[in-house]
Amino acid sequence: MINELKQVGISRRDEITSWAEDNPYMGYNPTEKEIQTFYRSKPWLAVRQQVLNRDNYIDQFELVENDRIIPGNTVHHIIPLRERWDLRADIRNLEVISRSNHNREHPERNGGSVVRTEYETRRRNARLVHAVKIKTNDELI
């Protein structure tokens, strides 16, 4: 059963990244206010609930990467919202992950180091130009 669930998660990621590569985005950079308004909107809350139900509240990152089933209640954009505003409510671009894995996916939110693997780069449909290690305040002393 884990293998079947894992394959569904892998297929979903591959499908959206492939689609995004074939359909380039001309770009729109939403403001922070627009992003926060979107996250409080009825359309977002409805699609969020659909994704939670579809993924059975199972952390898809943990399932695919570590063959483990753990609960998740955060809906994550596979291709980041700021990179593809047009996919903000596209159910194909959303997956359930746990809060701790969401923080790993967004190191800029918790002050950790940024290390982009080939998988993460492909997954985000971005071209990696520079990799930067960001140190926490403890490491600077």
Side-chain angles (χ1 to χ4, degrees), residues 105-124:
E105 287 286 307
H106 295 285
E108 70 277 8
R109 293 186 180 169
N110 66 354
S113 63
V114 177
V115 178
R116 296 208 179 213
T117 65
E118 181 181 335
Y119 169 77
E120 290 170 324
T121 302
R122 184 173 151 266
R123 184 169 167 212
R124 288 182 174 86

mmCIF file of all heavy atoms in Angstrom, residues 105-124:
data_model
loop_
_atom_site.group_PDB
_atom_site.id
_atom_site.type_symbol
_atom_site.label_atom_id
_atom_site.label_comp_id
_atom_site.label_asym_id
_atom_site.label_seq_id
_atom_site.Cartn_x
_atom_site.Cartn_y
_atom_site.Cartn_z
ATOM 1 N N GLU A 105 11.046 22.776 3.688
ATOM 2 C CA GLU A 105 10.842 23.214 2.301
ATOM 3 C C GLU A 105 11.037 24.721 2.161
ATOM 4 O O GLU A 105 11.356 25.203 1.090
ATOM 5 C CB GLU A 105 9.434 22.842 1.831
ATOM 6 C CG GLU A 105 9.247 21.378 1.576
ATOM 7 C CD GLU A 105 9.919 20.939 0.290
ATOM 8 O OE1 GLU A 105 9.674 21.537 -0.761
ATOM 9 O OE2 GLU A 105 10.709 19.990 0.367
ATOM 10 N N HIS A 106 10.808 25.456 3.242
ATOM 11 C CA HIS A 106 10.944 26.913 3.237
ATOM 12 C C HIS A 106 11.929 27.337 4.323
ATOM 13 O O HIS A 106 11.536 27.903 5.337
ATOM 14 C CB HIS A 106 9.586 27.579 3.483
ATOM 15 C CG HIS A 106 8.598 27.333 2.399
ATOM 16 N ND1 HIS A 106 8.660 27.970 1.181
ATOM 17 C CD2 HIS A 106 7.527 26.506 2.339
ATOM 18 C CE1 HIS A 106 7.668 27.555 0.423
ATOM 19 N NE2 HIS A 106 6.968 26.660 1.085
ATOM 20 N N PRO A 107 13.226 27.082 4.115
ATOM 21 C CA PRO A 107 14.209 27.416 5.153
ATOM 22 C C PRO A 107 14.263 28.907 5.470
ATOM 23 O O PRO A 107 14.667 29.295 6.558
ATOM 24 C CB PRO A 107 15.532 26.926 4.570
ATOM 25 C CG PRO A 107 15.299 26.774 3.120
ATOM 26 C CD PRO A 107 13.841 26.507 2.947
ATOM 27 N N GLU A 108 13.817 29.751 4.544
ATOM 28 C CA GLU A 108 13.825 31.188 4.804
ATOM 29 C C GLU A 108 12.883 31.557 5.946
ATOM 30 O O GLU A 108 13.008 32.609 6.547
ATOM 31 C CB GLU A 108 13.454 31.971 3.535
ATOM 32 C CG GLU A 108 12.012 31.847 3.095
ATOM 33 C CD GLU A 108 11.672 30.618 2.261
ATOM 34 O OE1 GLU A 108 12.516 29.721 2.105
ATOM 35 O OE2 GLU A 108 10.536 30.543 1.781
ATOM 36 N N ARG A 109 11.980 30.667 6.303
ATOM 37 C CA ARG A 109 11.026 30.954 7.375
ATOM 38 C C ARG A 109 11.547 30.585 8.752
ATOM 39 O O ARG A 109 11.054 31.073 9.745
ATOM 40 C CB ARG A 109 9.715 30.211 7.136
ATOM 41 C CG ARG A 109 8.996 30.729 5.936
ATOM 42 C CD ARG A 109 7.664 30.090 5.817
ATOM 43 N NE ARG A 109 7.001 30.606 4.639
ATOM 44 C CZ ARG A 109 5.916 30.113 4.142
ATOM 45 N NH1 ARG A 109 5.321 29.103 4.726
ATOM 46 N NH2 ARG A 109 5.379 30.624 3.067
ATOM 47 N N ASN A 110 12.515 29.683 8.831
ATOM 48 C CA ASN A 110 12.969 29.265 10.158
ATOM 49 C C ASN A 110 14.465 29.446 10.370
ATOM 50 O O ASN A 110 15.021 28.935 11.317
ATOM 51 C CB ASN A 110 12.555 27.819 10.457
ATOM 52 C CG ASN A 110 13.244 26.817 9.546
ATOM 53 O OD1 ASN A 110 13.943 27.207 8.615
ATOM 54 N ND2 ASN A 110 13.063 25.543 9.800
ATOM 55 N N GLY A 111 15.142 30.148 9.465
ATOM 56 C CA GLY A 111 16.536 30.498 9.678
ATOM 57 C C GLY A 111 17.530 29.378 9.473
ATOM 58 O O GLY A 111 18.677 29.498 9.852
ATOM 59 N N GLY A 112 17.138 28.278 8.875
ATOM 60 C CA GLY A 112 18.057 27.167 8.650
ATOM 61 C C GLY A 112 18.950 27.405 7.448
ATOM 62 O O GLY A 112 18.930 28.450 6.816
ATOM 63 N N SER A 113 19.767 26.408 7.118
ATOM 64 C CA SER A 113 20.647 26.553 5.968
ATOM 65 C C SER A 113 19.909 26.172 4.696
ATOM 66 O O SER A 113 18.994 25.362 4.697
ATOM 67 C CB SER A 113 21.885 25.674 6.132
ATOM 68 O OG SER A 113 21.511 24.328 6.173
ATOM 69 N N VAL A 114 20.300 26.775 3.588
ATOM 70 C CA VAL A 114 19.674 26.512 2.302
ATOM 71 C C VAL A 114 20.580 25.580 1.513
ATOM 72 O O VAL A 114 21.684 25.933 1.167
ATOM 73 C CB VAL A 114 19.477 27.821 1.504
ATOM 74 C CG1 VAL A 114 18.892 27.532 0.137
ATOM 75 C CG2 VAL A 114 18.593 28.777 2.271
ATOM 76 N N VAL A 115 20.125 24.376 1.286
ATOM 77 C CA VAL A 115 20.858 23.428 0.459
ATOM 78 C C VAL A 115 19.862 22.881 -0.546
ATOM 79 O O VAL A 115 18.923 22.186 -0.183
ATOM 80 C CB VAL A 115 21.461 22.282 1.298
ATOM 81 C CG1 VAL A 115 22.175 21.293 0.403
ATOM 82 C CG2 VAL A 115 22.390 22.830 2.351
ATOM 83 N N ARG A 116 20.050 23.194 -1.802
ATOM 84 C CA ARG A 116 19.115 22.738 -2.833
ATOM 85 C C ARG A 116 19.677 21.524 -3.543
ATOM 86 O O ARG A 116 20.725 21.573 -4.138
ATOM 87 C CB ARG A 116 18.855 23.838 -3.840
ATOM 88 C CG ARG A 116 18.186 25.007 -3.208
ATOM 89 C CD ARG A 116 17.366 25.708 -4.215
ATOM 90 N NE ARG A 116 16.714 26.813 -3.555
ATOM 91 C CZ ARG A 116 15.532 27.240 -3.873
ATOM 92 N NH1 ARG A 116 14.872 26.664 -4.825
ATOM 93 N NH2 ARG A 116 15.008 28.235 -3.246
ATOM 94 N N THR A 117 18.970 20.454 -3.453
ATOM 95 C CA THR A 117 19.373 19.254 -4.157
ATOM 96 C C THR A 117 18.833 19.303 -5.579
ATOM 97 O O THR A 117 17.995 20.146 -5.904
ATOM 98 C CB THR A 117 18.814 17.996 -3.461
ATOM 99 O OG1 THR A 117 17.387 18.050 -3.557
ATOM 100 C CG2 THR A 117 19.251 17.910 -2.016
ATOM 101 N N GLU A 118 19.318 18.417 -6.421
ATOM 102 C CA GLU A 118 18.823 18.355 -7.792
ATOM 103 C C GLU A 118 17.316 18.112 -7.794
ATOM 104 O O GLU A 118 16.585 18.710 -8.568
ATOM 105 C CB GLU A 118 19.544 17.238 -8.547
ATOM 106 C CG GLU A 118 19.114 17.106 -9.988
ATOM 107 C CD GLU A 118 19.828 15.974 -10.688
ATOM 108 O OE1 GLU A 118 20.940 15.612 -10.266
ATOM 109 O OE2 GLU A 118 19.260 15.457 -11.643
ATOM 110 N N TYR A 119 16.854 17.255 -6.891
ATOM 111 C CA TYR A 119 15.424 16.955 -6.808
ATOM 112 C C TYR A 119 14.619 18.209 -6.481
ATOM 113 O O TYR A 119 13.624 18.511 -7.121
ATOM 114 C CB TYR A 119 15.177 15.881 -5.757
ATOM 115 C CG TYR A 119 13.712 15.717 -5.425
ATOM 116 C CD1 TYR A 119 12.865 15.028 -6.284
ATOM 117 C CD2 TYR A 119 13.175 16.276 -4.279
ATOM 118 C CE1 TYR A 119 11.525 14.902 -6.000
ATOM 119 C CE2 TYR A 119 11.841 16.157 -3.988
ATOM 120 C CZ TYR A 119 11.025 15.460 -4.849
ATOM 121 O OH TYR A 119 9.700 15.349 -4.559
ATOM 122 N N GLU A 120 15.063 18.955 -5.473
ATOM 123 C CA GLU A 120 14.337 20.151 -5.080
ATOM 124 C C GLU A 120 14.331 21.178 -6.203
ATOM 125 O O GLU A 120 13.321 21.835 -6.440
ATOM 126 C CB GLU A 120 14.959 20.768 -3.833
ATOM 127 C CG GLU A 120 14.742 19.949 -2.585
ATOM 128 C CD GLU A 120 15.572 20.448 -1.428
ATOM 129 O OE1 GLU A 120 16.713 20.888 -1.662
ATOM 130 O OE2 GLU A 120 15.078 20.391 -0.303
ATOM 131 N N THR A 121 15.433 21.315 -6.896
ATOM 132 C CA THR A 121 15.520 22.283 -7.981
ATOM 133 C C THR A 121 14.555 21.912 -9.097
ATOM 134 O O THR A 121 13.805 22.747 -9.596
ATOM 135 C CB THR A 121 16.960 22.351 -8.523
ATOM 136 O OG1 THR A 121 17.824 22.691 -7.450
ATOM 137 C CG2 THR A 121 17.072 23.393 -9.615
ATOM 138 N N ARG A 122 14.549 20.652 -9.495
ATOM 139 C CA ARG A 122 13.647 20.198 -10.557
ATOM 140 C C ARG A 122 12.201 20.353 -10.109
ATOM 141 O O ARG A 122 11.337 20.773 -10.865
ATOM 142 C CB ARG A 122 13.952 18.747 -10.895
ATOM 143 C CG ARG A 122 13.130 18.232 -12.042
ATOM 144 C CD ARG A 122 13.604 16.836 -12.441
ATOM 145 N NE ARG A 122 12.475 16.138 -12.994
ATOM 146 C CZ ARG A 122 11.659 15.348 -12.320
ATOM 147 N NH1 ARG A 122 11.870 15.111 -11.045
ATOM 148 N NH2 ARG A 122 10.644 14.764 -12.892
ATOM 149 N N ARG A 123 11.955 20.025 -8.868
ATOM 150 C CA ARG A 123 10.605 20.074 -8.326
ATOM 151 C C ARG A 123 10.047 21.482 -8.349
ATOM 152 O O ARG A 123 8.874 21.709 -8.566
ATOM 153 C CB ARG A 123 10.640 19.544 -6.904
ATOM 154 C CG ARG A 123 9.310 19.449 -6.273
ATOM 155 C CD ARG A 123 9.433 18.684 -5.005
ATOM 156 N NE ARG A 123 8.208 18.871 -4.286
ATOM 157 C CZ ARG A 123 8.106 18.900 -2.990
ATOM 158 N NH1 ARG A 123 9.153 18.716 -2.263
ATOM 159 N NH2 ARG A 123 6.958 19.076 -2.412
ATOM 160 N N ARG A 124 10.886 22.432 -8.131
ATOM 161 C CA ARG A 124 10.433 23.823 -8.123
ATOM 162 C C ARG A 124 10.463 24.449 -9.511
ATOM 163 O O ARG A 124 10.161 25.618 -9.672
ATOM 164 C CB ARG A 124 11.290 24.627 -7.181
ATOM 165 C CG ARG A 124 11.015 24.297 -5.744
ATOM 166 C CD ARG A 124 11.850 25.164 -4.832
ATOM 167 N NE ARG A 124 11.475 24.929 -3.467
ATOM 168 C CZ ARG A 124 11.975 23.966 -2.708
ATOM 169 N NH1 ARG A 124 12.870 23.141 -3.196
ATOM 170 N NH2 ARG A 124 11.577 23.810 -1.470
#
